[in-house]
């Protein structure tokens, strides 16, 4: 006999209670199958007795694990009750056997699951506990410091405090760096994570007809609740032209290729320094490339994290198996509570001498981009972007948002002129329209929240103007 059945000496089975259990059998046969044989009428009572003794030995080994203590403490009295009945009556009671087999199956279900440890700060481990799929994993416990993890396990999920010394204590192929995945998803930019989650829900609705790309000037500066033509926000803080281009490709694939939808419109956000800006080369902002990696699969010029990203791809597969559906979004919503932060902003920008002095320096700083190589690359990226939209019959409007007076005052004339030259040159080839509100006098300081971003009053006015202009160039809807 083999393959999970009890191995007995067949010749002596009917005649005697003596039989043998080989060392190989003890090590290789699944205990679940052995225990289930207790309910088989053909199994002699003496063999059932030996099975109970073997069960006690097996449970004794597992009893050292605190995570199994409760269920083992429930099993042992049932075993003792069965043995006591047999020793007294030389036969087992059917109801007692069924009680044991049922309880043992629950135990085995836990043993067959992925055996998982958590390590990190208590609050971070608690956050991960909420998103584990307990239908597939058995949680062995958590360690808030390194060391002390022995015995058999399948994975150690690192929730935080992932020092090199800590990681060196564990088997590399069993480590899941959820702390890094979490950092990429919403640790870098909670606002970008919020926009991404909202965007994916809108894509799922199947109603999208177009998108607005750009930076936070477009993201915060348009009231997307009132925008026409079912345009979604692909704009995000610090985003550059490279990401605009890859994001629109991603959206086209999600809406048209995967869902058989239609992408008809694109409002391409622009300003007068974007041609000199590359987020992947910005020492203060390049880490944000990680926030877009799951969407675009691109890091542009930022390759410091390549090894981490290779590991992250493997860890994502593990997390998809070990955690509940939409675990990253649920972790983000529960841990960060984005609804507290991302609503309407009615703060008004007030110009004072101090404000003017401070903000004029800020404007000068963002335009200080002496990067000729970046400019050359970006005009190529911009043309690729416009060509992609043109070749996919996506009606395009280049949108330059309103800026306050202090921003316009310190916008370098040469950068503005160069930008216009590039835009008008490509306009001839790719047939797009341009709406420039950068110096629109209707937008006084009271419509701004700071030196470059519209507040909610300004966002509502801007979207009304944009809607009217889209109706004018593309027809009423």
């Amino acid at each position: 006999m083999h393959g999970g059945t009890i191995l007995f000496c067949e010749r002596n089975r009917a005649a005697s209670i003596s039989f043998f259990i080989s060392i190989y059998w003890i090590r290789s046969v699944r205990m679940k199958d052995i225990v289930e044989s207790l309910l088989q009428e053909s199994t002699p009572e003496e063999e059932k007795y030996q099975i109970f003794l073997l069960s006690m030995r097996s449970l004794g080994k597992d009893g050292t694990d605190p995570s199994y203590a409760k269920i083992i403490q429930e099993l042992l009295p049932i075993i003792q009750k069965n043995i006591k009945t047999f020793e007294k009556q030389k036969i087992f009671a059917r109801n007692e056997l069924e009680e044991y087999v049922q309880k043992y199956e629950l135990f085995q279900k836990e043993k067959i699951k992925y055996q998982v440890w958590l390590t990190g700060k208590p609050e971070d481990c608690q956050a991960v506990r909420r998103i584990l799929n307990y239908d597939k994993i058995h949680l062995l416990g958590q360690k808030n410091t390194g060391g002390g993890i022995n015995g058999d396990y399948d994975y150690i999920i690192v929730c935080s405090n992932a020092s090199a010394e800590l990681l060196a204590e564990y088997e590399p192929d069993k480590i899941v760096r959820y702390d890094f995945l979490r950092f990429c998803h919403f640790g870098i930019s909670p606002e970008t994570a919020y926009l991404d989650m909202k965007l994916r829900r809108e894509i799922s609705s199947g109603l999208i007809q177009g998108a607005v790309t750009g930076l936070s000037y477009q993201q915060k500066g348009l009231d997307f609740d009132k925008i026409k033509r079912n345009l979604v926000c692909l704009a995000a803080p610090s985003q550059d032209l490279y990401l605009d281009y890859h994001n629109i490709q991603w959206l086209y694939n999600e809406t048209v290729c995967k869902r058989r939808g239609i992408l008809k419109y694109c409002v391409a956000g622009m300003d007068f320094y974007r041609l000199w800006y590359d987020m992947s080369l910005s020492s203060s902002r390049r880490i944000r490339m990680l926030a877009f990696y799951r969407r675009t699969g691109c890091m542009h010029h930022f390759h410091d994290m390549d090894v981490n990203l290779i590991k992250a791809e493997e860890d994502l597969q593990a997390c998809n198996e070990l955690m509940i559906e939409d675990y990253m979004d649920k972790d983000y919503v529960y841990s960060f509570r984005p609804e507290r932060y991302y609503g309407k902003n009615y703060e008004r920008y007030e110009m004072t001498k101090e404000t003017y002095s401070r903000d004029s320096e800020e404007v000068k700083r963002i335009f200080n981009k002496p990067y000729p190589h970046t400019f050359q690359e970006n005009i190529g990226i911009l043309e690729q972007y416009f060509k992609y939209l043109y070749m996919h019959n996506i009606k395009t409007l280049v949108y330059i948002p309103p800026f306050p007076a202090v921003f316009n005052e310190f916008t370098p004339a040469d950068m503005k002129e160069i930008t216009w030259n590039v835009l008008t040159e490509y306009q001839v080839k790719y047939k797009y329209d341009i709406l420039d509100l950068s110096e629109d006098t209707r937008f006084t300081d009271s419509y701004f929240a700071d030196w470059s971003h519209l507040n909610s009053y300004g966002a509502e006015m801007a979207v009304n103007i944009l809607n009217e202009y889209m109706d004018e160039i593309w027809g009423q809807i």
Side-chain angles (χ1 to χ4, degrees), residues 57-70:
R57 183 189 308 172
S58 175
L59 292 170
K61 295 178 181 179
D62 294 314
T64 58
D65 189 332
S67 70
Y68 285 100
K70 183 176 182 294

Side-chain angles (χ1 to χ4, degrees), residues 96-318:
E96 292 177 357
L97 287 176
E98 289 176 347
E99 181 187 14
Y100 174 71
V101 171
Q102 183 180 27
K103 182 65 70 173
Y104 196 89
E105 285 179 349
L106 293 176
F107 169 73
Q108 279 296 319
K109 282 181 181 179
E110 289 301 306
K111 290 294 291 183
I112 205 66
K113 292 177 181 178
Y114 297 110
Q115 306 296 295
V116 175
W117 278 96
L118 304 182
T119 181
K121 296 177 183 177
E123 61 271 23
D124 295 321
C125 290
Q126 183 59 34
V128 173
R129 279 175 176 264
R130 288 192 291 264
I131 57 175
L132 291 173
N133 184 352
Y134 291 97
D135 290 335
K136 291 186 175 182
I137 74 105
H138 174 82
L139 184 59
L140 294 168
Q142 70 183 55
K143 297 289 292 184
N144 304 130
T145 57
I149 296 180
N150 300 308
D152 292 332
Y153 61 89
D154 295 302
Y155 294 102
I156 293 178
I157 300 177
V158 179
C159 308
S160 56
N161 292 344
S163 65
E165 293 78 10
L166 174 72
L167 297 177
E169 297 180 14
Y170 308 130
E171 298 176 59
D173 60 323
K174 294 185 177 183
I175 296 173
V176 176
R177 290 290 307 276
Y178 182 72
D179 60 330
F180 182 73
L181 300 179
R182 200 178 196 227
F183 174 70
C184 294
H185 186 66
F186 66 89
I188 298 169
S189 176
E191 188 170 17
T192 300
Y194 172 74
L195 295 169
D196 179 67
M197 184 172 65
K198 183 180 178 183
L199 173 63
R200 284 183 281 109
R201 288 173 179 171
E202 290 171 323
I203 290 173
S204 297
S205 73
L207 301 175
I208 292 176
Q209 290 187 294
V212 177
T213 64
L215 297 95
S216 53
Y217 307 138
Q218 287 76 27
Q219 172 237 322
K220 295 179 179 180
L222 291 170
D223 187 339
F224 281 88
D225 292 333
K226 297 183 178 180
I227 202 165
K228 290 184 177 181
R229 300 171 193 273
N230 291 323
L231 303 185
V232 294
C233 181
L234 273 180
S238 304
Q239 203 160 268
D240 60 10
L241 289 170
Y242 177 87
L243 283 172
D244 281 358
Y245 175 44
H246 285 276
N247 277 330
I248 203 71
Q249 290 179 303
W250 170 81
L251 184 65
Y252 187 89
N253 184 57
E254 290 292 319
T255 57
V256 180
C257 301
K258 290 184 179 180
R259 294 173 173 82
R260 305 292 184 181
I262 299 174
L263 206 62
K264 298 169 63 176
Y265 311 105
C266 179
V267 175
M270 196 63 187
D271 55 61
F272 299 116
Y273 68 81
R274 292 201 86 193
L275 289 175
W276 291 264
Y277 171 58
D278 182 337
M279 188 166 78
S280 70
L281 292 176
S282 169
S283 59
S284 62
R285 291 185 174 87
R286 60 184 181 175
I287 197 70
R288 287 175 175 262
M289 294 294 295
L290 291 170
F292 298 96
Y293 181 76
R294 285 186 70 184
R295 181 191 296 176
T296 65
C298 304
M299 293 295 286
H300 204 187
H301 296 300
F302 182 42
H303 296 293
D304 294 4
M305 292 288 179
D306 284 0
V307 173
N308 303 69
L309 289 171
I310 293 171
K311 170 64 173 163
E313 293 287 353
E314 299 173 358
D315 290 348
L316 274 173
Q317 296 302 314

Side-chain angles (χ1 to χ4, degrees), residues 457-469:
Y457 298 112
E460 184 175 351
M461 181 188 287
V463 85
N464 288 337
I465 296 172
L466 177 61
N467 283 337
E468 290 176 5
Y469 193 75

Side-chain angles (χ1 to χ4, degrees), residues 386 396-398 422-427 430-434:
F386 288 147
T396 302
L397 169 62
V398 172
V422 172
L423 290 177
T424 52
E425 177 186 347
Y426 290 158
Q427 186 180 26
Y430 302 113
K431 313 300 181 186
Y432 52 77
D433 293 279
I434 301 175

